[in-house]
Amino acid sequence: TNHQIGETYANPSSLFEINNMTGAYLINNAPNYYWLAYDISIDATAGNFVDANCYKIDLTGPPIFPDSLLTDPKLVIIENTLPTNLTIGLGGDFTSITEAIQSLENQSISSPMILELLSTYNATNEIFPIYIPFINGSSQNNIITIRPAIDAHDISFISDTTILVFHNSTFLTIDGRPDGIIEENKLSFINTSTNSSTVLFYDGAQFNSIMYCNILGSDTSSTDGVVSFKPYNNTNNTLANCLIANYNNNLPSFGIKIFNDYQSGQGGSHQTVINCEIKNFKKAGIEIHIADNSSLIGNIIHNEFEVPSNSLSGINCYASYVKISGNKIYDLISSELNSNEVYGIKIPRAWGG
């Protein structure tokens, strides 16, 4: 990086050549790395793109073309002060959430970010699952928010696999309210499969939130819920004002399954489920394991029909120091004639902290 190769180009807008690739800059039979450096104009604004691609390499003999050409710009300029709004949809800054997240992942943010889904956004452009990774710079002051635009229509994400995966992500909020103010659930996440969660938090997901969304699923396994929290070190994540329910005629075992690994010493804690409606499940609306110091507040938990279950609960709590307050639990009826295990809230004696 100490020597410039080729001349400087002012405001390139099409193909340009970098010459003088002499032997001094080539290492035979070994990888060669070159960096393209930019001077950013003082007139650049947030949302402008800065990018270039390698089109062709001319040495001795026939020209060499890269295996693939990334034709769309991927690097975007962001502000350092006020929240930065980027748009997703036809005519926006990105065409998919995945593309927008990958752009942020390649840089460090220094301000709050809003990724707004336009009325032209099409969820079929996504590849599922949508992975939410760690974004450098995200913090309590630099929260990343994904939400519909004020004029967006109902948006449904539908797949036969998990829709959202929060993996080592921090301080990211998915808000189903248009413009973040109109209290309507405009975002729906739907998994039609019977063997995977619709939303998954795992491996270091911390301080993330999903609010005002519909989350529907069909996971019939005994290990997962429509929304699942898994090891390790998942802490301080929140579900608020969401509908969490079954999809079609399939009956998930759990609405929400919060499970952490006590043996590893890396179990998560301080999860919050507040003001959600959780309905139509076979075993429990919420089952929580090991996630101590969590809060289950103001939720409505119920079934709309009888379910075939030998053990049915609104809340199963296998954790200590959990705040359970103001939940409304009703219409839990088992169609199993021999079943006598129906509970509103079930707290085994060993977990009564």
Side-chain angles (χ1 to χ4, degrees):
T1 58
N2 296 325
H3 303 281
Q4 177 173 324
I5 304 173
E7 61 185 285
T8 299
Y9 288 87
N11 301 316
S13 59
S14 59
L15 291 176
F16 60 93
E17 295 183 358
I18 298 175
N19 298 309
N20 300 320
M21 301 288 285
T22 62
Y25 303 112
L26 296 174
I27 303 175
N28 294 327
N29 300 318
N32 290 263
Y33 299 95
Y34 303 95
W35 285 264
L36 184 63
Y38 302 91
D39 287 324
I40 305 300
S41 168
I42 60 173
D43 298 323
T45 60
N48 289 163
F49 290 98
V50 181
D51 212 348
N53 298 302
C54 179
Y55 174 72
K56 182 177 65 171
I57 300 172
D58 279 314
L59 298 172
T60 57
I64 301 172
F65 294 90
D67 291 337
S68 62
L69 292 176
L70 301 175
T71 56
D72 295 326
K74 301 298 180 185
L75 302 181
V76 63
I77 297 172
I78 64 173
E79 292 275 9
N80 288 325
T81 53
L82 298 176
T84 300
N85 286 46
L86 297 173
T87 55
I88 304 175
L90 184 63
D93 299 308
F94 305 98
T95 59
S96 69
I97 295 174
T98 298
E99 190 178 68
I101 291 295
Q102 287 175 344
S103 177
L104 295 184
E105 191 179 12
N106 290 331
Q107 56 194 307
S108 177
I109 69 170
S110 57
S111 65
M113 302 289 299
I114 297 176
L115 306 179
E116 200 161 65
L117 304 177
L118 301 175
S119 60
T120 57
Y121 171 76
N122 189 340
T124 60
N125 289 325
E126 303 290 351
I127 298 175
F128 300 108
I130 299 172
Y131 282 92
I132 311 294
F134 173 74
I135 305 297
N136 191 38
S138 58
S139 67
Q140 185 175 359
N141 294 323
N142 295 338
I143 294 175
I144 303 166
T145 301
I146 300 173
R147 73 186 189 199
I150 189 69
D151 60 345
H153 308 291
D154 291 348
I155 300 172
S156 294
F157 302 80
I158 304 176
S159 178
D160 59 356
T161 188
T162 300
I163 304 296
L164 291 172
V165 176
F166 291 80
H167 180 212
N168 201 34
S169 56
T170 60
F171 295 99
L172 187 137
T173 294
I174 296 180
D175 187 346
R177 297 174 298 173
D179 205 33
I181 56 175
I182 300 176
E183 294 192 5
E184 299 176 357
N185 294 20
K186 288 291 186 179
L187 300 182
S188 296
F189 303 96
I190 303 170
N191 183 0
T192 62
S193 170
T194 59
N195 58 16
S196 59
S197 300
T198 304
V199 176
L200 175 62
F201 296 83
Y202 82 112
D203 277 4
Q206 300 181 18
F207 298 98
N208 302 290
S209 299
I210 301 178
M211 60 178 64
Y212 293 96
C213 292
N214 302 319
I215 307 173
L216 310 181
S218 310
D219 195 333
T220 59
S221 71
S222 61
T223 57
D224 296 310
V226 177
V227 180
S228 290
F229 298 77
K230 290 192 170 184
Y232 302 90
N233 288 331
N234 296 319
T235 63
N236 293 283
N237 298 295
T238 298
L239 298 172
N241 301 95
C242 290
L243 169 64
I244 299 166
N246 66 314
Y247 175 69
N248 274 353
N249 296 321
N250 296 316
L251 194 63
S253 297
F254 305 95
I256 301 170
K257 184 71 174 284
I258 304 173
F259 178 80
N260 285 292
D261 186 358
Y262 181 80
Q263 298 296 328
S264 71
Q266 295 181 324
S269 63
H270 296 85
Q271 315 292 9
T272 297
V273 182
I274 184 168
N275 296 335
C276 292
E277 181 180 5
I278 304 157
K279 66 180 183 179
N280 300 338
F281 47 86
K282 186 175 180 180
K283 293 183 179 295
I286 303 174
E287 182 161 291
I288 180 168
H289 287 256
I290 319 299
D292 299 342
N293 298 291
S294 293
S295 298
L296 312 176
I297 302 173
N299 300 291
I300 299 174
I301 303 172
H302 67 105
N303 280 337
E304 295 178 312
F305 40 79
E306 293 184 357
V307 298
S309 178
N310 289 322
S311 181
L312 179 62
S313 303
I315 298 172
N316 282 342
C317 181
Y318 301 91
S320 299
Y321 307 106
V322 175
K323 181 177 181 180
I324 301 175
S325 175
N327 298 285
K328 182 178 180 180
I329 302 172
Y330 63 96
D331 285 350
L332 302 184
I333 303 173
S334 173
S335 61
E336 298 286 340
L337 296 178
N338 296 325
S339 175
N340 58 3
E341 288 196 26
V342 178
Y343 305 92
I345 301 174
K346 182 179 179 181
I347 305 176
R349 181 176 299 177
W351 298 97

